[in-house]
Amino acid sequence: MTDVDPVADPVAELARVRGRFAELEREVATLRASEAELRAMFAAMTDAVLVLDRDGRYLRLPETAPGMAYKPAPEFLGKRMHDVLPPGSADAFLADIRRALAERRIVNMVYSRHIAGQELWFSANASPMSDDAVVVVCRDITEQMRHEQVLRDSIRQQELLREQEAALLQLSTPLIPIRDDIVVMPLVGRLDAARIDQAQDTLLQGIAAARAKAAIVDITGVPAIDVAAAEGLVRIARAVQLLGARVVVTGIRPDVADTLASLGELGGLVTRGTLQAAIRDVEAALRQRRPDRRATT
């Protein structure tokens, strides 16, 4: 018994063709559904989507939703990036496209363009689509970049203010030598914790550097002193005494005296009414501390 030639059997051939046709219809239906899904996805995207080859030629410009400040024009199709972009931008783009193809991975690029008199910023991801083409998704990040710039400017401004504040603290706590062994620190303005700390650091470093034996802290220019500031003055006096130097506070008003008296223990804090009185006091104390060098015969 021999096999039947399907060509000789029209019924069998017709059934085979109909089956193949049905199969093709199903494939077409699947492709149409996939295409419709892709179109819907693109229609929902506000980013620009480009398909380019390794030479930077625009192969496809899928339509996406409006919303991006700039999208490539339809007439870009068939042109190369060097035909429509500034040379520097085109070179950078092309390098990233070829890197994405060579490394078979997504490459991100951030770039700016001047359009309609303003600088716009974009973030683009180039992803390999084949051996010679990439799909590039570009997103407008201008607002993000502007916010980041505002943040950077704000941080720089805060740093500048801190530097100026530190400089003002230095200027507001001057240390004036009136003799080789006596220094004066006049304080002006409100004494908060930062001013107290700055005054103590400046005074201690100045005494150590000059090898001073006495320091006068004048608070005539301080409008008011609360308990915290009074405690700070006592702390300064104790720190100076640990260096072996004498400290005298001048410019004490009645209200300041009341605040200091409320502290109880003043840790050896010496006060005088005027700067002149303080100078006489420390000079007398220093004379008493000097050894008698007169030779005896």
Side-chain angles (χ1 to χ4, degrees):
M1 182 177 180
T2 58
D3 293 335
V4 179
D5 185 355
V7 179
D9 188 348
V11 175
E13 179 63 16
L14 180 61
R16 189 185 68 78
V17 170
R18 285 177 175 174
R20 179 57 180 160
F21 183 74
E23 183 182 343
L24 290 174
E25 282 188 328
R26 288 192 295 271
E27 292 178 359
V28 169
T30 301
L31 289 174
R32 285 176 176 171
S34 179
E35 182 182 8
E37 183 179 353
L38 287 174
R39 288 183 181 275
M41 290 174 59
F42 282 127
M45 293 174 61
T46 55
D47 302 336
V49 179
L50 325 170
V51 178
L52 304 109
D53 65 14
R54 66 170 53 255
D55 295 323
R57 193 180 306 279
Y58 293 88
L59 302 179
R60 292 189 63 190
L61 300 173
E63 187 64 31
T64 56
M68 196 171 184
Y70 168 78
K71 291 184 179 181
E75 54 266 25
F76 283 11
L77 281 174
K79 295 182 179 180
R80 296 184 309 111
M81 285 190 154
H82 283 83
D83 298 327
V84 297
L85 297 179
S89 298
D91 289 341
F93 245 111
L94 193 58
D96 286 330
I97 288 172
R98 290 177 175 173
R99 185 153 58 97
L101 289 172
E103 300 176 7
R104 305 301 299 172
R105 67 178 182 88
I106 296 175
V107 173
N108 175 261
M109 57 200 89
V110 176
Y111 63 99
S112 68
R113 292 198 60 192
H114 285 84
I115 300 170
Q118 61 176 331
E119 185 178 27
L120 302 180
W121 286 88
F122 302 93
S123 174
N125 287 333
S127 177
M129 191 174 70
S130 67
D131 291 340
D132 295 305
V134 297
V135 58
V136 179
V137 179
C138 303
R139 173 163 296 179
D140 186 345
I141 58 170
T142 303
E143 286 304 315
Q144 174 186 335
M145 296 296 288
R146 288 173 179 169
H147 288 320
E148 291 178 358
Q149 184 61 49
V150 169
L151 179 60
R152 286 192 294 270
D153 291 343
S154 177
I155 292 174
R156 280 197 296 268
Q157 185 67 23
Q158 291 175 10
E159 292 174 349
L160 179 60
L161 288 175
R162 283 194 292 268
E163 291 173 0
Q164 292 175 343
E165 184 180 25
L168 287 174
L169 281 174
Q170 291 283 357
L171 291 174
S172 64
T173 53
L175 195 61
I176 305 169
I178 59 174
R179 259 180 36 177
D180 290 343
D181 51 0
I182 303 175
V183 294
V184 175
M185 174 178 282
L187 297 178
V188 179
R190 187 171 64 91
L191 290 183
D192 55 13
R195 288 283 311 282
I196 289 291
D197 290 343
Q198 178 67 33
Q200 179 171 318
D201 290 344
T202 301
L203 192 57
L204 295 180
Q205 291 176 14
I207 290 174
R211 297 183 179 180
K213 300 302 181 182
I216 300 171
V217 179
D218 183 66
I219 59 172
T220 305
V222 178
I225 290 183
D226 57 15
V227 173
E231 291 175 343
L233 290 175
V234 173
R235 188 176 74 246
I236 290 174
R238 288 172 177 165
V240 171
Q241 289 167 1
L242 290 175
L243 291 181
R246 178 180 178 83
V247 62
V248 179
V249 178
T250 66
I252 303 292
R253 299 185 304 277
D255 57 324
V256 176
D258 286 340
T259 302
L260 289 171
S262 68
L263 298 180
E265 175 58 44
L266 298 182
L269 180 67
V270 178
T271 63
R272 293 292 181 266
T274 65
L275 181 61
Q276 291 80 3
I279 293 174
R280 287 195 298 269
D281 177 274
V282 296
E283 286 180 337
L286 292 178
R287 281 196 299 270
Q288 292 177 1
R289 291 171 59 179
R290 291 194 186 99
D292 190 354
R293 296 183 179 178
R294 290 175 298 177
T296 61
T297 58

